[in-house]
Amino acid sequence: MFRTKSVEQSILDTEEPEHALKKSLSALDLTVFGVGVIIGTGIFVLTGKVAKETAGPATAIAFVVAGVVCALAALCYAEFASTVPVAGSAYTFSYASLGELVAWIIGWDLVLEFALGTAVVAVGWSGYVRSLMDNVNWTMPEVLSGPDAAEGFGFDLLAFILVLILTVILVIGMKLSARVTSVVVAIKVGVVLMVIIAGLFFIKAENYKPFIPPSEKQPAGSGWDAPMVQLIFGYEPTNFGVMGIFTAASIVFFAFIGFDVVATAAEETKLPQRDMPRGILGSLIICTVLYVAVSIVVTGMQHYSELSVSAPLADAFKATGHPFYAGLISFGAAVGLTTVCMILLLGQTRVFFAMSRDGLLPRFFSRTHPRFKTPYRPTILLGVVIAIIAGFTSIDELATLVNIGTLFAFVVVALGVPVLRRTRPDLPRAFRTPWVPVLPIASVAASVWLMLNLPVETWVRFAGWMALGVVIYFVYGRSHSRLGREGR
């Protein structure tokens, strides 16, 4: 159960003609992918919710705190991605350092994280598009607007079609995916910069007072809705004040989810030893700066107590008498979610492909397309399944599972860095995580703290999914593992 797969064997597997992925990505492509998946609903929605309910103008500090937590994990990811340039991200890293069972668990976790994330984002994209259609008096029938919009049966046709189109793009090739992403990210970043620059002219200094509002006790949680930290330590999180900033950081962390997807494309990168660290860290730095700037501008345009929760950026411009900018922001949000959905689907298929190539899932899914050199079988399978989930399911309540899954992956990767340093000190490392083991330990502690701020219900659901994964491993994965068979 704890046998490890050598880095040399992992790299050798990528050279098998029928199971090899095409190397076509540069550091710029990776950075664009990172920015494309990180800048999503978080920057357009969470800013208002957190400022109004938890941190006030100090939301900018909360974004910095969340960015630091991600940066600690990103430094660990960068070392692994440059040392083990193989598809699979945290799954592959765990296999090389912590053993097969841990690798399976984290791979199973990523399957949940990326699949659910893709479906959630597709449903969110559909909502923005329907809103834009309503502005020009085009209305979708309720029965085709999803279960949230319809009474009784509802099928979200737009979300279903979006996932299928993105599936086709990913099958055709990574370079096409990178080009589509580049165009969409340029539009999305342009809209964000427009918000920052235009909003500067409407800032009022009095809206920043007080910058850190006085502390208030949060409404008491009970049962499944209470955060895990309250159940274990009896700690009751506060709104506003200094501790409110840390509570806010656990919420705005949602906005950073996705930078780890960049690591799943390591095998398709031309010079992974050099470009993977640049892509991971570069995209994270760019997005943190943009998040901080947007939160400062929007809380300066409108007092935090008056901000909208559903569409804070657009409504802030409406409040200052500029509806044109509000429409542009809605357009940017709709366009931007396209790349978020595509890159999450990309990460999902690469993890599934890597697990299949190792025999932990059926080897049928590890063959690449003879022409496009993409993992077309898992891409088509997962694309169709996720499209159906997005069409039929209302899954807002399950969105927190994406968060806990990501944080769990952070913990495993951070633990793997000092372990691999100890077991394989001879490996060439193009990028080395600084201050090992202090920095990885700090990354684990920060990630666990944010996990503890999630509701008990989220932990129960996550534990159920992990238990199912362990059963599947012992029933199928352990006996079909290529590493195990070769050992026998």
Side-chain angles (χ1 to χ4, degrees):
M1 291 187 295
F2 297 100
R3 54 198 173 207
T4 57
K5 184 178 181 180
S6 70
V7 174
E8 292 82 359
Q9 183 60 50
S10 293
I11 295 174
L12 194 63
D13 286 348
T14 68
E15 299 171 359
E16 297 177 1
E18 293 182 338
H19 307 282
L21 299 173
K22 185 178 180 181
K23 297 182 182 295
S24 60
L25 301 179
S26 64
L28 178 60
D29 292 326
L30 295 172
T31 303
V32 169
F33 272 140
V35 173
V37 73
I38 297 172
I39 297 183
T41 51
I43 198 168
F44 296 108
V45 177
L46 284 180
T47 306
K49 176 180 176 63
V50 170
K52 186 171 185 176
E53 300 177 359
T54 312
T59 297
I61 303 176
F63 273 117
V64 173
V65 172
V68 169
V69 174
C70 289
L72 294 173
L75 290 168
C76 298
Y77 269 89
E79 175 169 328
F80 264 125
S82 61
T83 307
V84 193
V86 178
S89 185
Y91 159 76
T92 301
F93 307 157
S94 302
Y95 213 159
S97 57
L98 300 174
E100 185 173 277
L101 178 59
V102 177
W104 166 266
I105 289 174
I106 197 66
W108 186 246
D109 163 57
L110 292 174
V111 166
L112 173 70
E113 174 195 340
F114 293 148
L116 187 59
T118 305
V120 170
V121 172
V123 172
W125 175 87
S126 173
Y128 272 108
V129 172
R130 290 198 306 272
S131 175
L132 289 171
M133 291 169 63
D134 289 341
N135 290 340
V136 292
N137 296 320
W138 292 356
T139 305
M140 289 279 293
E142 280 192 2
V143 71
L144 297 178
S145 298
D148 287 332
E151 294 183 6
F153 175 81
F155 180 77
D156 197 329
L157 180 63
L158 292 177
F160 178 80
I161 292 174
L162 172 68
V163 176
L164 292 186
I165 291 174
L166 296 179
T167 298
V168 172
I169 293 174
L170 289 175
V171 168
I172 292 176
M174 280 293 287
K175 201 59 187 176
L176 174 62
S177 305
R179 288 171 181 164
V180 171
T181 302
S182 298
V183 172
V184 176
V185 168
I187 295 172
K188 181 161 55 175
V189 173
V191 170
V192 172
L193 291 175
M194 180 272 295
V195 169
I196 296 170
I197 295 171
L200 288 173
F201 295 97
F202 309 119
I203 288 178
K204 296 180 180 178
E206 57 266 26
N207 287 334
Y208 291 127
K209 299 177 182 178
F211 190 77
I212 302 179
S215 177
E216 298 176 2
K217 183 176 289 187
Q218 278 191 7
S222 61
W224 300 117
D225 295 331
M228 181 63 78
V229 68
Q230 183 174 336
L231 180 68
I232 297 175
F233 301 109
Y235 164 76
E236 296 185 12
T238 62
N239 290 334
F240 307 116
V242 174
M243 292 307 297
I245 295 174
F246 292 99
T247 303
S250 67
I251 299 173
V252 300
F253 178 81
F254 283 97
F256 288 92
I257 285 178
F259 82 86
D260 55 322
V261 179
V262 178
T264 65
E267 192 173 325
E268 293 156 278
T269 305
K270 295 175 184 176
L271 298 171
Q273 289 79 7
R274 183 196 69 184
D275 293 343
M276 287 305 301
R278 292 181 179 181
I280 292 173
L281 297 171
S283 59
L284 184 60
I285 292 170
I286 290 170
C287 293
T288 302
V289 170
L290 291 176
Y291 280 0
V292 171
V294 166
S295 60
I296 290 175
V297 167
V298 75
T299 53
M301 290 175 61
Q302 194 174 15
H303 194 267
Y304 72 89
S305 61
E306 300 173 356
L307 283 173
S308 160
V309 173
S310 58
L313 274 63
D315 290 346
F317 277 101
K318 287 181 182 178
T320 56
H322 296 83
F324 169 77
Y325 291 113
L328 227 77
I329 291 168
S330 297
F331 171 75
V335 172
L337 290 180
T338 307
T339 55
V340 178
C341 194
M342 182 172 72
I343 299 168
L344 286 173
L345 182 58
L346 163 72
Q348 159 81 301
T349 59
R350 270 43 179 185
V351 173
F352 199 95
F353 169 78
M355 296 174 74
S356 172
R357 189 165 58 188
D358 289 332
L360 300 180
L361 290 172
R363 289 270 288 173
F364 171 82
F365 295 107
S366 66
R367 290 187 180 273
T368 55
H369 194 281
R371 177 183 173 188
F372 302 126
K373 294 298 179 184
T374 56
Y376 69 107
R377 288 174 176 175
T379 301
I380 293 172
L381 169 69
L382 295 169
V384 171
V385 170
I386 294 171
I388 293 172
I389 293 173
F392 280 109
T393 313
S394 176
I395 46 182
D396 289 342
E397 293 181 3
L398 298 181
T400 51
L401 280 171
V402 181
N403 198 28
I404 195 171
T406 303
L407 288 165
F408 180 66
F410 287 3
V411 170
V412 172
V413 170
L415 290 173
V417 169
V419 171
L420 196 62
R421 287 272 190 99
R422 185 176 181 82
T423 57
R424 292 298 308 273
D426 57 305
L427 284 176
R429 291 170 168 82
F431 179 89
R432 297 178 68 88
T433 303
W435 309 310
V436 173
V438 175
L439 189 143
I441 292 173
S443 178
V444 170
S447 297
V448 169
W449 172 253
L450 292 186
M451 290 173 73
L452 290 174
N453 277 276
L454 294 171
V456 175
E457 183 180 17
T458 300
W459 281 82
V460 173
R461 288 172 172 169
F462 182 67
W465 178 258
M466 290 293 102
L468 176 61
V470 170
V471 171
I472 293 175
Y473 170 74
F474 282 106
V475 170
Y476 180 89
R478 189 182 182 195
S479 59
H480 289 79
S481 165
R482 286 184 67 198
L483 190 62
R485 289 186 169 188
E486 289 167 2
R488 290 192 294 272

